[in-house]
Amino acid sequence: MTPEIHGTVAEGYEAVREEFAAAVAAERPDYAGQLSAYVHGRRVVDLWAGAETDGETLFGVFSSTKGAAHLVTALLVQDGTLELDSEVARYWPEFAAEGKSAITLRELLAHRAGVVGSDAGFTDDELADDRAVAERLGGQRPFWRPGTAFGYHALVIGALTGEVVRRVTGRTLQEVYEERIRAPYGLDFFLGLPEVEEPRFRSVQPMAPTAAEQAVLDAAPTGPHTLTSIAFNEHVPEPGTLEGFANSRTVRAKGQSSAGGVASARGLAGMYAAAISRVGGRAPLLKPDTIAEVGQVHSIGFDLVMRAHKAYGLGFQATAENWYPFLGAGAFGHSGAGGSQAFADPRSGLAYGYTRRRMSFPGGAAPENERLVRAAHRAALA
């Protein structure tokens, strides 16, 4: 039985509800997910479907977490606390080891540093702890000459930039995020889920590929010593699963800032709305020059880790170049391995958030996002 659609849409956004209903109908009967969108700071879409799910349910959002982490760095750059073209080692001297002294903060945020993982890999406890990851990577030799190429720092970028934040502010990235972004807006997007909020969390369900989809996965095995394996910590003797990572209470409690965030679609969209628009009487978090800087493409082409064409701004994915070319230039955000998607399109004023409980094939932003984003963008422009 197809799950019932709940929630509301503003006048003019009825087509978004129709597309959401169609996407849910095409899914397994156990589908659970949420969709939210703001336009110029006003929530215009608030939908959900599935058992044990409502608008306040929280899901693991994997790499969509990186958007929250790098909104923090954007604010600190905007404040003048951080300088994009200063060397990372200026803030974190130990990072200069093994030929990394010239790497700038801009290069790090653009996934150009080459420090995608550790030669020996991380234990589960280390990977859950940004401080432990940063301590290991301070002395790590880059996997390519910094600045000559780029590759997705999948599980460590938040720890690397977070250590810079900690060194310059004396506060963890998670603390700065809580104080400056999450708490003031009451966002259901946590980097560090309090125990009291645990009843709202729904565990991530593993991917359930069809036979044809499984054949695709089996045809693309990853060797144990490739950059991809190292970046996803799959070169250790007993690698964990992505769903196991998100389902770890330790990961959720610590708020691992590359992939350990917990959110609702409302929280995802609300954060990006606050970034670019006036929300609740508050001025946008980011000024126009900062919005342009973080959304500008800094790395585009062949990603050495993902082995595919990718595009990044500063800590964010370049959303139009990666996913939805019909969006405005400078759209920025981040997707997550489970299928979540979140971004801001400053030119249309659209802020978008999508979550789902079961991991989607083939990983990354779930394919249904294309039709949902297109419908929301079309309505926003109308």
Side-chain angles (χ1 to χ4, degrees), residues 181-211:
I181 301 169
R182 199 209 67 78
Y185 291 90
L187 297 172
D188 278 344
F189 188 177
F190 296 89
L191 299 190
L193 185 67
E195 182 72 36
V196 69
E197 302 291 353
E198 272 291 319
R200 298 166 58 195
F201 175 75
R202 300 292 178 265
S203 60
V204 175
Q205 296 172 330
M207 188 185 301
T210 64

Short mmCIF file of all heavy atoms in Angstrom, two decimals, residues 181-211:
data_model
loop_
_atom_site.label_atom_id
_atom_site.label_comp_id
_atom_site.label_asym_id
_atom_site.label_seq_id
_atom_site.Cartn_x
_atom_site.Cartn_y
_atom_site.Cartn_z
N ILE A 181 23.78 29.37 14.59
CA ILE A 181 22.88 28.95 13.51
C ILE A 181 21.70 28.13 14.01
O ILE A 181 20.55 28.54 13.85
CB ILE A 181 23.67 28.17 12.43
CG1 ILE A 181 24.81 29.03 11.86
CG2 ILE A 181 22.73 27.72 11.31
CD1 ILE A 181 25.79 28.29 10.98
N ARG A 182 21.95 26.99 14.62
CA ARG A 182 20.84 26.10 14.94
C ARG A 182 19.90 26.67 16.01
O ARG A 182 18.69 26.76 15.79
CB ARG A 182 21.34 24.72 15.41
CG ARG A 182 20.23 23.65 15.30
CD ARG A 182 20.38 22.54 16.32
NE ARG A 182 20.18 23.01 17.67
CZ ARG A 182 18.97 23.23 18.20
NH1 ARG A 182 17.87 23.06 17.49
NH2 ARG A 182 18.87 23.66 19.45
N ALA A 183 20.47 27.04 17.15
CA ALA A 183 19.62 27.49 18.26
C ALA A 183 18.84 28.77 17.94
O ALA A 183 17.64 28.84 18.22
CB ALA A 183 20.45 27.65 19.52
N PRO A 184 19.46 29.80 17.35
CA PRO A 184 18.69 31.03 17.09
C PRO A 184 17.48 30.83 16.19
O PRO A 184 16.48 31.54 16.32
CB PRO A 184 19.73 31.95 16.44
CG PRO A 184 21.04 31.46 16.92
CD PRO A 184 20.88 29.98 17.03
N TYR A 185 17.57 29.88 15.27
CA TYR A 185 16.47 29.63 14.33
C TYR A 185 15.61 28.44 14.73
O TYR A 185 14.63 28.12 14.04
CB TYR A 185 17.02 29.43 12.93
CG TYR A 185 17.59 30.69 12.33
CD1 TYR A 185 18.93 31.01 12.50
CD2 TYR A 185 16.79 31.57 11.61
CE1 TYR A 185 19.46 32.18 11.97
CE2 TYR A 185 17.30 32.73 11.07
CZ TYR A 185 18.64 33.04 11.26
OH TYR A 185 19.15 34.20 10.73
N GLY A 186 15.98 27.75 15.81
CA GLY A 186 15.22 26.57 16.23
C GLY A 186 15.21 25.48 15.19
O GLY A 186 14.21 24.79 14.99
N LEU A 187 16.33 25.28 14.50
CA LEU A 187 16.41 24.35 13.38
C LEU A 187 16.47 22.90 13.85
O LEU A 187 17.25 22.56 14.74
CB LEU A 187 17.63 24.64 12.52
CG LEU A 187 17.69 26.00 11.82
CD1 LEU A 187 19.06 26.19 11.19
CD2 LEU A 187 16.58 26.13 10.79
N ASP A 188 15.69 22.05 13.21
CA ASP A 188 15.81 20.61 13.43
C ASP A 188 16.90 20.06 12.52
O ASP A 188 16.66 19.24 11.61
CB ASP A 188 14.47 19.92 13.16
CG ASP A 188 13.53 20.01 14.35
OD1 ASP A 188 14.00 20.33 15.47
OD2 ASP A 188 12.33 19.77 14.17
N PHE A 189 18.11 20.50 12.76
CA PHE A 189 19.29 20.06 12.03
C PHE A 189 20.43 20.12 13.03
O PHE A 189 20.93 21.20 13.37
CB PHE A 189 19.54 20.99 10.83
CG PHE A 189 20.63 20.54 9.88
CD1 PHE A 189 20.88 21.27 8.72
CD2 PHE A 189 21.41 19.42 10.12
CE1 PHE A 189 21.88 20.88 7.83
CE2 PHE A 189 22.41 19.02 9.25
CZ PHE A 189 22.65 19.77 8.10
N PHE A 190 20.81 18.96 13.54
CA PHE A 190 21.72 18.87 14.67
C PHE A 190 23.09 18.36 14.28
O PHE A 190 23.21 17.36 13.58
CB PHE A 190 21.14 17.94 15.74
CG PHE A 190 19.85 18.41 16.35
CD1 PHE A 190 18.62 18.05 15.78
CD2 PHE A 190 19.85 19.20 17.49
CE1 PHE A 190 17.42 18.47 16.34
CE2 PHE A 190 18.65 19.63 18.06
CZ PHE A 190 17.44 19.26 17.48
N LEU A 191 24.12 19.03 14.77
CA LEU A 191 25.48 18.49 14.78
C LEU A 191 25.77 18.15 16.24
O LEU A 191 26.37 18.92 16.98
CB LEU A 191 26.49 19.51 14.26
CG LEU A 191 26.33 20.01 12.83
CD1 LEU A 191 27.55 20.80 12.40
CD2 LEU A 191 26.10 18.86 11.87
N GLY A 192 25.30 16.99 16.64
CA GLY A 192 25.34 16.58 18.04
C GLY A 192 23.91 16.50 18.55
O GLY A 192 23.35 17.49 19.01
N LEU A 193 23.30 15.31 18.43
CA LEU A 193 21.89 15.16 18.79
C LEU A 193 21.78 14.93 20.30
O LEU A 193 22.28 13.94 20.82
CB LEU A 193 21.28 13.98 18.04
CG LEU A 193 19.77 13.78 18.25
CD1 LEU A 193 18.99 14.94 17.64
CD2 LEU A 193 19.31 12.46 17.63
N PRO A 194 21.08 15.83 21.02
CA PRO A 194 20.90 15.62 22.46
C PRO A 194 20.11 14.34 22.73
O PRO A 194 19.24 13.95 21.96
CB PRO A 194 20.10 16.86 22.90
CG PRO A 194 20.35 17.87 21.83
CD PRO A 194 20.48 17.09 20.56
N GLU A 195 20.41 13.72 23.85
CA GLU A 195 19.72 12.48 24.23
C GLU A 195 18.22 12.67 24.26
O GLU A 195 17.46 11.77 23.87
CB GLU A 195 20.22 12.02 25.61
CG GLU A 195 19.62 10.71 26.07
CD GLU A 195 20.15 9.50 25.33
OE1 GLU A 195 21.35 9.49 24.98
OE2 GLU A 195 19.36 8.57 25.08
N VAL A 196 17.77 13.84 24.69
CA VAL A 196 16.33 14.09 24.81
C VAL A 196 15.62 14.05 23.46
O VAL A 196 14.41 13.81 23.39
CB VAL A 196 16.07 15.43 25.53
CG1 VAL A 196 16.48 16.61 24.65
CG2 VAL A 196 14.62 15.56 25.96
N GLU A 197 16.36 14.27 22.37
CA GLU A 197 15.77 14.27 21.03
C GLU A 197 15.81 12.89 20.36
O GLU A 197 15.26 12.71 19.27
CB GLU A 197 16.49 15.28 20.13
CG GLU A 197 16.48 16.72 20.63
CD GLU A 197 15.11 17.36 20.60
OE1 GLU A 197 14.16 16.74 20.07
OE2 GLU A 197 14.98 18.49 21.10
N GLU A 198 16.45 11.92 21.00
CA GLU A 198 16.61 10.60 20.38
C GLU A 198 15.29 9.94 19.98
O GLU A 198 15.24 9.27 18.94
CB GLU A 198 17.38 9.67 21.33
CG GLU A 198 18.89 9.75 21.17
CD GLU A 198 19.39 9.17 19.86
OE1 GLU A 198 18.89 8.12 19.42
OE2 GLU A 198 20.28 9.78 19.27
N PRO A 199 14.20 10.09 20.74
CA PRO A 199 12.95 9.44 20.31
C PRO A 199 12.44 9.90 18.94
O PRO A 199 11.65 9.18 18.32
CB PRO A 199 11.97 9.82 21.42
CG PRO A 199 12.82 10.03 22.62
CD PRO A 199 14.07 10.67 22.08
N ARG A 200 12.88 11.04 18.46
CA ARG A 200 12.45 11.54 17.15
C ARG A 200 13.28 10.95 16.02
O ARG A 200 12.90 11.09 14.85
CB ARG A 200 12.56 13.07 17.11
CG ARG A 200 11.67 13.78 18.12
CD ARG A 200 12.06 15.24 18.28
NE ARG A 200 11.99 15.95 17.01
CZ ARG A 200 12.54 17.14 16.80
NH1 ARG A 200 13.24 17.74 17.76
NH2 ARG A 200 12.42 17.73 15.63
N PHE A 201 14.39 10.30 16.33
CA PHE A 201 15.29 9.76 15.30
C PHE A 201 14.79 8.42 14.80
O PHE A 201 14.36 7.57 15.59
CB PHE A 201 16.71 9.62 15.86
CG PHE A 201 17.66 8.96 14.91
CD1 PHE A 201 18.16 9.65 13.82
CD2 PHE A 201 18.06 7.63 15.09
CE1 PHE A 201 19.04 9.04 12.93
CE2 PHE A 201 18.93 7.02 14.21
CZ PHE A 201 19.42 7.73 13.12
N ARG A 202 14.84 8.23 13.48
CA ARG A 202 14.51 6.95 12.87
C ARG A 202 15.78 6.38 12.22
O ARG A 202 16.43 7.07 11.42
CB ARG A 202 13.41 7.10 11.81
CG ARG A 202 12.11 7.66 12.36
CD ARG A 202 11.41 6.70 13.30
NE ARG A 202 10.19 7.28 13.85
CZ ARG A 202 10.11 7.90 15.02
NH1 ARG A 202 11.20 8.01 15.78
NH2 ARG A 202 8.98 8.41 15.44
N SER A 203 16.11 5.15 12.53
CA SER A 203 17.34 4.55 12.02
C SER A 203 17.33 4.48 10.51
O SER A 203 16.29 4.29 9.87
CB SER A 203 17.51 3.15 12.60
OG SER A 203 16.42 2.33 12.23
N VAL A 204 18.52 4.63 9.93
CA VAL A 204 18.68 4.51 8.49
C VAL A 204 18.50 3.06 8.08
O VAL A 204 19.04 2.14 8.71
CB VAL A 204 20.07 5.00 8.06
CG1 VAL A 204 20.30 4.76 6.57
CG2 VAL A 204 20.25 6.47 8.41
N GLN A 205 17.74 2.84 7.02
CA GLN A 205 17.55 1.49 6.49
C GLN A 205 18.49 1.28 5.30
O GLN A 205 18.70 2.20 4.50
CB GLN A 205 16.10 1.29 6.04
CG GLN A 205 15.11 1.38 7.20
CD GLN A 205 13.67 1.38 6.74
OE1 GLN A 205 13.35 1.86 5.65
NE2 GLN A 205 12.77 0.85 7.56
N PRO A 206 19.09 0.11 5.17
CA PRO A 206 20.06 -0.12 4.09
C PRO A 206 19.41 -0.09 2.72
O PRO A 206 18.20 -0.28 2.57
CB PRO A 206 20.61 -1.51 4.41
CG PRO A 206 19.52 -2.18 5.19
CD PRO A 206 18.87 -1.09 6.00
N MET A 207 20.22 0.17 1.73
CA MET A 207 19.76 0.15 0.34
C MET A 207 19.15 -1.21 0.03
O MET A 207 19.63 -2.24 0.50
CB MET A 207 20.95 0.43 -0.59
CG MET A 207 20.59 0.63 -2.04
SD MET A 207 22.08 0.81 -3.09
CE MET A 207 22.88 2.24 -2.37
N ALA A 208 18.09 -1.21 -0.76
CA ALA A 208 17.45 -2.46 -1.19
C ALA A 208 17.42 -2.49 -2.72
O ALA A 208 16.38 -2.30 -3.34
CB ALA A 208 16.04 -2.56 -0.62
N PRO A 209 18.57 -2.73 -3.34
CA PRO A 209 18.64 -2.67 -4.80
C PRO A 209 17.88 -3.80 -5.46
O PRO A 209 17.78 -4.91 -4.92
CB PRO A 209 20.14 -2.76 -5.08
CG PRO A 209 20.70 -3.48 -3.90
CD PRO A 209 19.87 -3.05 -2.73
N THR A 210 17.35 -3.52 -6.64
CA THR A 210 16.78 -4.58 -7.47
C THR A 210 17.92 -5.46 -7.98
O THR A 210 19.11 -5.13 -7.83
CB THR A 210 16.03 -3.99 -8.66
OG1 THR A 210 16.98 -3.30 -9.50
CG2 THR A 210 14.95 -3.00 -8.20
N ALA A 211 17.58 -6.55 -8.62
CA ALA A 211 18.61 -7.43 -9.17
C ALA A 211 19.47 -6.70 -10.18
O ALA A 211 20.70 -6.85 -10.20
CB ALA A 211 17.95 -8.66 -9.81
#
